[in-house]
Amino acid sequence: MLTATGQGTADVAVVGAGPVGLAVAWRCAARGLRVVVHDPAPGSGASHVAAGMLSPVAEAYFGEHELTGLLAASAARWPGFAAELAEAAGTGFGYRTEGTLVVGLTSDDLAEARRLWSYQRGLGLPITPLRPSELRDREPALAPRVRGGAVAPGDHQVDPRRLVAALRAAAERAGATLVAGPVRELSDLDARVTVVAAGCGAAALTGLPVRPVKGQILRLRAPGGGPPGFGHVIRGYADGESVYLVPRDGGEVVVGATVEERADTGVTAGAVLRLLRAAVDLVPELAEYDLAEASAGLRPGTPDNAPIIGPLPGRPGVLAATGHHRHGIVLTPVTADLVAELVVTGEADPLLAPFTPERFAGHRRHG
Ligand SMILES: Cc1cc2nc3c(=O)[nH]c(=O)nc-3n(C[C@H](O)[C@H](O)[C@H](O)COP(=O)(O)OP(=O)(O)OC[C@H]3O[C@@H](n4cnc5c(N)ncnc54)[C@H](O)[C@@H]3O)c2cc1C
């Protein structure tokens, strides 16, 4: 069990000030530990471009049972986590609970969407098919061509840029210190426990199989500074393209995202074209919005698409909290709570058993 030190050596060094590292820092500092967070550019990783969907249901994919369970466990923590964070940080972060519509433009698109939601319903997850008229009653902005869809009322959203700012404020208010610089070797750190929450940067520090998975994404802005003409997150298939539309309080609509096995952050004309065409096919009014930003980020992907959380074998005092791939925002609460618990008690919650670094022991480049 880790008890707080007086002064000198930190109790906990956190590498990475993205949502995962900052939330771990906040939770540890709030339990009285001396925490130092290292990052040359806080909040500049995948979270800077992320859409912020909290989608335990619509992101439940075939063959990912254990990950689906962790997504559901983290989503269930979100309401309490959001309330505590708003209180601790003294600011909001665009947490919205209108729910998610899953829609198909053509009959082929609808068949594709239905195949997945039938699987999700089979798991007992809350997603309910709707008739086209029921869809349009909920969101009149949907194109008349949309053939059908479903509602996942428990799939919510948050603004990741504002979330990171709130987590930073909460961590600093709880006493955590931020050091603006990169960590080159874990052995350079003077702390009793080190938590590696460096997203894609974790691979170089630990040898874990975390690889960059590029995502291009757009930000549109409603004309005249008004709110977007729809309130649900809309996830759709449009002529074979998969796209999501996330409406924000301030008039922004996030349109994403590509999934590419590349490590650059360039934005291509073809990706912008495909995302915009699918977005406008589903919600025609988006053609009148300003194109405010086109960007790309690197998801910290793993071989099984699930995060890597727990003690690093052969490295006493080092914990990994990385590899959150497409789900780092929704998984922030459960990761932070269970890593803080592990730091303080030395006990790993059984929920973490499928996600330990040991499952990749054969992949690691150095110990
Ligand atoms: C296009 C796109 C859309 C997404 N949409 C969603 C979504 O809707 N919902 C969802 O849940 N997730 C989404 N994600 C995934 C989510 O953004 C990531 O899983 C999440 O940001 C991971 O958080 P993190 O803190 O582990 O890493 P990051 O956010 O990548 O932050 C890592 C931090 O570590 C720092 N760092 C790296 N190396 C070092 C080093 N050596 N020393 C010190 N600091 C270092 C970086 O500067 C950075 O600040 C999306 C990602 C992308 C790219």
Side-chain angles (χ1 to χ4, degrees), residues 180-197:
V183 172
R184 306 213 184 275
E185 297 285 344
L186 296 181
S187 54
D188 295 342
L189 297 170
D190 183 20
R192 293 199 285 159
V193 174
T194 295
V195 179
V196 182

PDB file of all heavy atoms in Angstrom, residues 180-197:
ATOM      1  N   ALA A 180       6.643  20.814 -17.584  1.00  0.00           N
ATOM      2  CA  ALA A 180       6.538  20.924 -19.042  1.00  0.00           C
ATOM      3  C   ALA A 180       7.795  20.387 -19.704  1.00  0.00           C
ATOM      4  O   ALA A 180       8.740  21.125 -19.954  1.00  0.00           O
ATOM      5  CB  ALA A 180       6.303  22.381 -19.435  1.00  0.00           C
ATOM      6  N   GLY A 181       7.811  19.106 -19.980  1.00  0.00           N
ATOM      7  CA  GLY A 181       8.955  18.517 -20.666  1.00  0.00           C
ATOM      8  C   GLY A 181       8.683  17.045 -20.911  1.00  0.00           C
ATOM      9  O   GLY A 181       7.880  16.428 -20.211  1.00  0.00           O
ATOM     10  N   PRO A 182       9.361  16.484 -21.924  1.00  0.00           N
ATOM     11  CA  PRO A 182       9.138  15.065 -22.228  1.00  0.00           C
ATOM     12  C   PRO A 182       9.921  14.165 -21.266  1.00  0.00           C
ATOM     13  O   PRO A 182      10.941  14.586 -20.725  1.00  0.00           O
ATOM     14  CB  PRO A 182       9.700  14.930 -23.640  1.00  0.00           C
ATOM     15  CG  PRO A 182      10.770  15.978 -23.713  1.00  0.00           C
ATOM     16  CD  PRO A 182      10.326  17.110 -22.836  1.00  0.00           C
ATOM     17  N   VAL A 183       9.449  12.964 -21.083  1.00  0.00           N
ATOM     18  CA  VAL A 183      10.216  11.940 -20.370  1.00  0.00           C
ATOM     19  C   VAL A 183      10.898  11.089 -21.433  1.00  0.00           C
ATOM     20  O   VAL A 183      10.225  10.557 -22.328  1.00  0.00           O
ATOM     21  CB  VAL A 183       9.288  11.082 -19.483  1.00  0.00           C
ATOM     22  CG1 VAL A 183      10.035   9.912 -18.887  1.00  0.00           C
ATOM     23  CG2 VAL A 183       8.660  11.952 -18.398  1.00  0.00           C
ATOM     24  N   ARG A 184      12.234  10.991 -21.357  1.00  0.00           N
ATOM     25  CA  ARG A 184      12.944  10.210 -22.375  1.00  0.00           C
ATOM     26  C   ARG A 184      13.176   8.777 -21.906  1.00  0.00           C
ATOM     27  O   ARG A 184      13.108   7.839 -22.686  1.00  0.00           O
ATOM     28  CB  ARG A 184      14.263  10.888 -22.726  1.00  0.00           C
ATOM     29  CG  ARG A 184      14.049  12.336 -23.143  1.00  0.00           C
ATOM     30  CD  ARG A 184      15.028  12.831 -24.188  1.00  0.00           C
ATOM     31  NE  ARG A 184      14.806  14.266 -24.446  1.00  0.00           N
ATOM     32  CZ  ARG A 184      13.913  14.755 -25.292  1.00  0.00           C
ATOM     33  NH1 ARG A 184      13.159  13.951 -26.004  1.00  0.00           N
ATOM     34  NH2 ARG A 184      13.778  16.066 -25.446  1.00  0.00           N
ATOM     35  N   GLU A 185      13.452   8.604 -20.606  1.00  0.00           N
ATOM     36  CA  GLU A 185      13.642   7.269 -20.012  1.00  0.00           C
ATOM     37  C   GLU A 185      12.876   7.233 -18.698  1.00  0.00           C
ATOM     38  O   GLU A 185      12.959   8.191 -17.918  1.00  0.00           O
ATOM     39  CB  GLU A 185      15.123   7.037 -19.674  1.00  0.00           C
ATOM     40  CG  GLU A 185      16.068   7.032 -20.848  1.00  0.00           C
ATOM     41  CD  GLU A 185      15.980   5.744 -21.656  1.00  0.00           C
ATOM     42  OE1 GLU A 185      15.420   4.748 -21.131  1.00  0.00           O
ATOM     43  OE2 GLU A 185      16.440   5.746 -22.800  1.00  0.00           O
ATOM     44  N   LEU A 186      12.183   6.136 -18.429  1.00  0.00           N
ATOM     45  CA  LEU A 186      11.459   6.049 -17.159  1.00  0.00           C
ATOM     46  C   LEU A 186      12.418   6.111 -15.972  1.00  0.00           C
ATOM     47  O   LEU A 186      12.059   6.587 -14.890  1.00  0.00           O
ATOM     48  CB  LEU A 186      10.631   4.763 -17.110  1.00  0.00           C
ATOM     49  CG  LEU A 186       9.507   4.674 -18.154  1.00  0.00           C
ATOM     50  CD1 LEU A 186       8.740   3.363 -17.993  1.00  0.00           C
ATOM     51  CD2 LEU A 186       8.571   5.873 -18.050  1.00  0.00           C
ATOM     52  N   SER A 187      13.658   5.648 -16.175  1.00  0.00           N
ATOM     53  CA  SER A 187      14.630   5.640 -15.074  1.00  0.00           C
ATOM     54  C   SER A 187      15.057   7.063 -14.673  1.00  0.00           C
ATOM     55  O   SER A 187      15.668   7.260 -13.626  1.00  0.00           O
ATOM     56  CB  SER A 187      15.857   4.808 -15.450  1.00  0.00           C
ATOM     57  OG  SER A 187      16.384   5.286 -16.663  1.00  0.00           O
ATOM     58  N   ASP A 188      14.725   8.069 -15.503  1.00  0.00           N
ATOM     59  CA  ASP A 188      15.043   9.460 -15.140  1.00  0.00           C
ATOM     60  C   ASP A 188      14.108   9.984 -14.048  1.00  0.00           C
ATOM     61  O   ASP A 188      14.353  11.043 -13.476  1.00  0.00           O
ATOM     62  CB  ASP A 188      14.894  10.396 -16.358  1.00  0.00           C
ATOM     63  CG  ASP A 188      15.909  10.089 -17.459  1.00  0.00           C
ATOM     64  OD1 ASP A 188      16.923   9.417 -17.144  1.00  0.00           O
ATOM     65  OD2 ASP A 188      15.680  10.504 -18.612  1.00  0.00           O
ATOM     66  N   LEU A 189      12.990   9.283 -13.802  1.00  0.00           N
ATOM     67  CA  LEU A 189      11.966   9.810 -12.892  1.00  0.00           C
ATOM     68  C   LEU A 189      12.246   9.395 -11.451  1.00  0.00           C
ATOM     69  O   LEU A 189      12.634   8.260 -11.191  1.00  0.00           O
ATOM     70  CB  LEU A 189      10.585   9.299 -13.315  1.00  0.00           C
ATOM     71  CG  LEU A 189      10.138   9.774 -14.696  1.00  0.00           C
ATOM     72  CD1 LEU A 189       8.884   9.029 -15.133  1.00  0.00           C
ATOM     73  CD2 LEU A 189       9.906  11.284 -14.688  1.00  0.00           C
ATOM     74  N   ASP A 190      12.011  10.340 -10.546  1.00  0.00           N
ATOM     75  CA  ASP A 190      12.237  10.083  -9.130  1.00  0.00           C
ATOM     76  C   ASP A 190      10.872  10.011  -8.432  1.00  0.00           C
ATOM     77  O   ASP A 190      10.347  11.030  -7.966  1.00  0.00           O
ATOM     78  CB  ASP A 190      13.089  11.225  -8.553  1.00  0.00           C
ATOM     79  CG  ASP A 190      13.420  10.981  -7.073  1.00  0.00           C
ATOM     80  OD1 ASP A 190      13.332   9.818  -6.640  1.00  0.00           O
ATOM     81  OD2 ASP A 190      13.752  11.964  -6.385  1.00  0.00           O
ATOM     82  N   ALA A 191      10.278   8.835  -8.433  1.00  0.00           N
ATOM     83  CA  ALA A 191       8.962   8.666  -7.804  1.00  0.00           C
ATOM     84  C   ALA A 191       8.827   7.219  -7.364  1.00  0.00           C
ATOM     85  O   ALA A 191       9.465   6.328  -7.927  1.00  0.00           O
ATOM     86  CB  ALA A 191       7.859   9.021  -8.790  1.00  0.00           C
ATOM     87  N   ARG A 192       7.969   7.016  -6.368  1.00  0.00           N
ATOM     88  CA  ARG A 192       7.798   5.639  -5.895  1.00  0.00           C
ATOM     89  C   ARG A 192       6.993   4.793  -6.878  1.00  0.00           C
ATOM     90  O   ARG A 192       7.220   3.603  -7.019  1.00  0.00           O
ATOM     91  CB  ARG A 192       7.163   5.661  -4.512  1.00  0.00           C
ATOM     92  CG  ARG A 192       8.137   6.285  -3.484  1.00  0.00           C
ATOM     93  CD  ARG A 192       7.750   5.923  -2.097  1.00  0.00           C
ATOM     94  NE  ARG A 192       6.587   6.665  -1.659  1.00  0.00           N
ATOM     95  CZ  ARG A 192       5.799   6.278  -0.665  1.00  0.00           C
ATOM     96  NH1 ARG A 192       6.020   5.127  -0.040  1.00  0.00           N
ATOM     97  NH2 ARG A 192       4.781   7.018  -0.303  1.00  0.00           N
ATOM     98  N   VAL A 193       6.024   5.432  -7.562  1.00  0.00           N
ATOM     99  CA  VAL A 193       5.260   4.737  -8.603  1.00  0.00           C
ATOM    100  C   VAL A 193       5.232   5.624  -9.848  1.00  0.00           C
ATOM    101  O   VAL A 193       5.053   6.839  -9.730  1.00  0.00           O
ATOM    102  CB  VAL A 193       3.806   4.458  -8.149  1.00  0.00           C
ATOM    103  CG1 VAL A 193       2.988   3.872  -9.286  1.00  0.00           C
ATOM    104  CG2 VAL A 193       3.773   3.529  -6.954  1.00  0.00           C
ATOM    105  N   THR A 194       5.438   5.026 -11.006  1.00  0.00           N
ATOM    106  CA  THR A 194       5.335   5.762 -12.272  1.00  0.00           C
ATOM    107  C   THR A 194       4.155   5.202 -13.063  1.00  0.00           C
ATOM    108  O   THR A 194       4.023   3.979 -13.209  1.00  0.00           O
ATOM    109  CB  THR A 194       6.627   5.605 -13.096  1.00  0.00           C
ATOM    110  OG1 THR A 194       7.695   6.225 -12.370  1.00  0.00           O
ATOM    111  CG2 THR A 194       6.506   6.269 -14.462  1.00  0.00           C
ATOM    112  N   VAL A 195       3.295   6.099 -13.548  1.00  0.00           N
ATOM    113  CA  VAL A 195       2.168   5.687 -14.387  1.00  0.00           C
ATOM    114  C   VAL A 195       2.440   6.200 -15.804  1.00  0.00           C
ATOM    115  O   VAL A 195       2.553   7.410 -16.017  1.00  0.00           O
ATOM    116  CB  VAL A 195       0.831   6.261 -13.865  1.00  0.00           C
ATOM    117  CG1 VAL A 195      -0.326   5.840 -14.773  1.00  0.00           C
ATOM    118  CG2 VAL A 195       0.582   5.812 -12.427  1.00  0.00           C
ATOM    119  N   VAL A 196       2.560   5.284 -16.756  1.00  0.00           N
ATOM    120  CA  VAL A 196       2.825   5.672 -18.149  1.00  0.00           C
ATOM    121  C   VAL A 196       1.480   5.830 -18.862  1.00  0.00           C
ATOM    122  O   VAL A 196       0.801   4.852 -19.176  1.00  0.00           O
ATOM    123  CB  VAL A 196       3.707   4.635 -18.871  1.00  0.00           C
ATOM    124  CG1 VAL A 196       3.998   5.101 -20.299  1.00  0.00           C
ATOM    125  CG2 VAL A 196       5.001   4.414 -18.102  1.00  0.00           C
ATOM    126  N   ALA A 197       1.084   7.097 -19.059  1.00  0.00           N
ATOM    127  CA  ALA A 197      -0.200   7.427 -19.701  1.00  0.00           C
ATOM    128  C   ALA A 197       0.082   8.333 -20.891  1.00  0.00           C
ATOM    129  O   ALA A 197      -0.546   9.368 -21.070  1.00  0.00           O
ATOM    130  CB  ALA A 197      -1.120   8.111 -18.695  1.00  0.00           C
TER     131      ALA A 197
END
